[in-house]
Amino acid sequence: MSPKKQPQILKRLCLKMLSNQLIHALSDEEGTYQEKVRKYVCGAPYDVLQSLLKEILGLTNLDASIRFSCLQVLLKSDLRTLEIGIFPRFYYDQILQTIKHQGKGLQQLNLKGVWARDFPELLSELILSLSQLKSLMVPHMSDDSVIKALLSLKSLVKLDISGEACYTAAGIRQLRSDTIKILDIGSFGKKDLCQDSTNGYELIAEIISNLPNLNVLKTYSFTGHALLYLYKKDNNFRTKLTYLHATDCSLEILEAIHETCPYLGNAHINQPQEEVVKKLSILRNLCSVKLTKGDTSELQIFLQSCGHKLQQLKLNHSKPGQIDLSQLCEYAPGLHAAEFYQMQLTFTNPGAYFVNLQKIQILYCDISDAALRTVLTNSPFLRSFTVGCSIEMTDGDMFRLLSEYSLENLEELLLSEARCLTAITVELLADNCPKLRVLGSLMGWDITQEEIDALRLLIALSNTDLTLWPVTY
């Protein structure tokens, strides 16, 4: 049976109660109690105020004026982490001003919900005032003045300036840091980095050169081209990159990646040219691969030589031919996570097992019910199983499966198009899977909303820790 809900820890109960009290006190439009609340929390430890702010700012259904009032009252100079959330345009400059004056000690700041692009000068001033920042997320917002302000951050480790750029080529060339290890920049699928540049990968090459301790370069899709550019200039150039995204990768680019990235462990190879996939084995530390539009025959050669090192494998649109998952069991016994998107999959050897697999996603693939059943039953440590394609499995099939296999580690089961499964299967799974906590998507099952509501009521009355997805509020 699915696990029972454990009593909420006292810390969580107190957090909810106190946040509700603060919301109630600060919901007055006249601000009658704002000063009293400010005095009440003035001596509270930073981690308490930080937790309260996270709880309140995360309430998307709460009126923006109340969330902003809570920000004004709870934000103090010793808080370390702040994630603003989504606010209406009217509050953008006020939020930036509040953080600038009250958040001097922030080490992590996420401004994704605030369109600071409309206030570049204020955003620059804000960055200059937060000298202790280690993580900053300002996608779509940076211009040359913001890039210049970033140079003042001597402890910055993680930076997100991805999306449509406002900065110029000259502006982004200013970005230099010995501390940045994770950089999110550019837009998916776009080679150019900014509007006045025709060779975006050359700019990325300069950025890589200017960030000597960079480990992860996210979003930008042509990092391989940038590394080839650097390698041609200096064949002794080396990076500390552990992740990159390489689109239209050629053998020449692969060789440059091999030479310049000795620590590379995670790569997204998109639309590789001929011979590239089977020669990925030259990347000696590669343990996580995402392959888009690769050749399946070349993939098999790569897996035979290096599959034993893989812990994560994601395959999208790989063709021609089928992928035999039972062969993957043999080639990649250490696989922890796998993802397949729009592919043909089989499982020909029922005696093959995924001995370490914990999570698998099969989305919009051509695969039989028998193969799906084998994956589910031949993965003894499977925790999460997601199928985003149509299956014909019935309640009877599920009954027979559960009578033979316990699925004792399964925590999440998502079947988006299971038109032959009913409420009976929900009860079967809840009664027979001791760790199951998430089940869905019931909107794709043969089940009515009334039955879903009745099941949710039964789950609540029995104090069972099981969520039926999609969640309704």
Side-chain angles (χ1 to χ4, degrees):
M1 178 174 285
S2 291
K4 297 296 183 182
K5 285 186 177 180
Q6 297 300 311
Q8 291 192 52
I9 61 175
L10 184 60
K11 177 182 177 181
R12 182 63 187 163
L13 289 171
C14 291
L15 182 64
K16 281 189 173 182
M17 182 188 72
L18 189 53
S19 62
N20 287 335
Q21 292 293 326
L22 287 170
I23 289 169
H24 179 72
L26 297 173
S27 60
D28 181 10
E29 294 183 0
E30 302 299 325
T32 307
Y33 302 104
Q34 193 170 97
E35 193 56 38
K36 290 183 179 180
V37 173
R38 198 186 301 274
K39 290 180 180 179
Y40 176 74
V41 301
C42 69
Y46 82 90
D47 52 344
V48 172
L49 298 182
Q50 200 165 271
S51 297
L52 285 169
L53 262 181
K54 182 179 180 180
E55 177 80 14
I56 294 170
L57 294 177
L59 298 173
T60 55
N61 295 327
L62 184 63
D63 187 85
S65 63
I66 301 174
R67 285 184 284 133
F68 178 62
S69 294
C70 291
L71 176 67
Q72 287 180 304
V73 171
L74 298 179
L75 183 58
K76 294 173 59 181
S77 60
D78 57 348
L79 264 66
R80 300 177 185 177
T81 301
L82 181 61
E83 184 171 346
I84 292 297
I86 299 174
F87 272 83
R89 177 185 174 86
F90 171 76
Y91 291 94
Y92 295 165
D93 60 334
Q94 299 179 68
I95 289 172
L96 295 176
Q97 290 283 6
T98 300
I99 299 172
K100 174 185 172 183
H101 292 112
Q102 298 178 214
K104 304 282 187 183
L106 285 175
Q107 296 180 9
Q108 299 179 42
L109 177 60
N110 185 342
L111 287 175
K112 279 188 177 181
V114 177
W115 193 244
R117 184 172 182 167
D118 293 340
F119 307 94
E121 184 177 344
L122 184 53
L123 178 57
S124 300
E125 293 174 1
L126 167 63
I127 292 171
L128 290 170
S129 71
L130 304 180
S131 59
Q132 299 181 46
L133 272 184
K134 295 181 179 179
S135 174
L136 176 63
M137 304 180 76
V138 285
H140 308 284
M141 304 177 198
S142 300
D143 66 359
D144 289 356
S145 64
V146 171
I147 300 298
K148 185 176 181 180
L150 291 171
L151 302 180
S152 69
L153 302 177
K154 303 305 181 183
S155 302
L156 192 63
V157 174
K158 181 178 179 180
L159 175 63
D160 183 351
I161 51 172
S162 60
E164 295 298 325
C166 300
Y167 49 74
T168 64
I172 196 62
R173 285 190 175 100
Q174 298 179 73
L175 185 61
R176 297 172 182 271
S177 172
D178 291 332
T179 59
I180 292 179
K181 294 183 178 182
I182 302 172
L183 177 64
D184 203 337
I185 193 170
S187 301
F188 285 115
K190 289 190 176 182
K191 188 175 289 188
D192 293 337
L193 200 59
C194 48
Q195 294 181 357
D196 67 339
S197 172
T198 55
N199 293 317
Y201 62 86
E202 292 185 13
L203 275 180
I204 288 291
E206 287 193 50
I207 291 170
I208 293 173
S209 297
N210 293 335
L211 305 177
N213 291 303
L214 187 66
N215 297 147
V216 176
L217 183 61
K218 299 169 64 178
T219 302
Y220 188 72
S221 306
F222 294 87
T223 306
H225 289 70
L227 292 171
L228 177 60
Y229 177 80
L230 288 167
Y231 184 61
K232 284 183 174 180
K233 288 181 63 178
D234 178 6
N235 58 14
N236 291 315
F237 180 81
R238 299 292 182 268
T239 75
K240 295 182 180 178
L241 286 175
T242 59
Y243 168 83
L244 60 78
H245 184 170
T247 298
D248 191 26
C249 185
S250 65
L251 286 174
E252 188 180 27
I253 289 174
L254 181 61
E255 179 63 25
I257 293 173
H258 168 241
E259 293 294 338
T260 59
C261 303
Y263 306 105
L264 191 68
N266 187 346
H268 180 183
I269 309 299
N270 189 358
Q271 302 180 62
Q273 296 181 19
E274 190 175 350
E275 301 289 311
V276 167
V277 175
K278 68 180 181 182
K279 294 193 175 181
L280 288 174
S281 55
I282 67 172
L283 304 176
R284 292 183 293 271
N285 295 313
L286 202 62
C287 61
S288 179
V289 177
K290 182 175 182 179
L291 179 63
T292 301
K293 297 184 179 180
D295 184 278
T296 54
S297 59
E298 290 189 29
L299 175 66
Q300 187 172 20
I301 296 172
F302 165 67
L303 291 174
Q304 285 176 321
S305 62
C306 290
H308 63 281
K309 295 189 293 187
L310 286 182
Q311 297 179 9
Q312 185 176 82
L313 178 64
K314 298 181 179 181
L315 302 177
N316 297 342
H317 304 283
S318 295
K319 53 188 177 183
Q322 298 177 328
I323 294 290
D324 187 344
L325 297 178
S326 60
Q327 288 186 343
L328 190 58
C329 294
E330 176 187 349
Y331 298 149
L335 206 61
H336 289 171
E339 179 183 304
F340 305 92
Y341 181 82
Q342 288 195 351
M343 297 180 60
Q344 289 184 310
L345 305 174
T346 62
F347 204 114
T348 59
N349 180 10
Y353 284 80
F354 284 110
V355 292
N356 287 293
L357 193 66
Q358 297 182 21
K359 180 177 182 179
I360 186 168
Q361 292 182 304
I362 300 173
L363 308 174
Y364 306 106
C365 291
D366 181 3
I367 183 171
S368 68
D369 283 12
L372 287 171
R373 172 192 165 101
T374 307
V375 172
L376 185 59
T377 57
N378 288 25
S379 306
F381 299 102
L382 193 64
R383 297 170 58 187
S384 177
F385 187 57
T386 300
V387 178
C389 42
S390 179
I391 65 173
E392 302 298 326
M393 189 177 291
T394 65
D395 292 334
D397 295 329
M398 190 63 72
F399 176 81
R400 285 185 286 274
L401 186 152
L402 292 170
S403 66
E404 298 177 30
Y405 304 93
S406 63
L407 305 181
E408 60 184 21
N409 291 299
L410 191 65
E411 298 177 8
E412 180 179 80
L413 178 64
L414 298 175
L415 308 174
S416 63
E417 294 184 52
R419 298 295 176 183
C420 299
L421 296 181
T422 71
I424 293 173
T425 289
V426 177
E427 296 183 36
L428 283 170
L429 289 165
D431 289 340
N432 291 277
C433 299
K435 294 184 179 180
L436 189 66
R437 285 186 167 87
V438 178
L439 180 61
S441 165
L442 300 186
M443 298 304 291
W445 293 26
D446 182 16
I447 187 170
T448 65
Q449 186 59 52
E450 289 74 16
E451 288 176 308
I452 295 175
D453 292 340
L455 287 167
R456 286 193 171 117
L457 178 60
L458 182 62
I459 289 169
L461 291 173
S462 61
N463 194 41
T464 301
D465 187 10
L466 178 61
T467 299
L468 300 183
W469 194 84
V471 177
T472 57
Y473 296 97

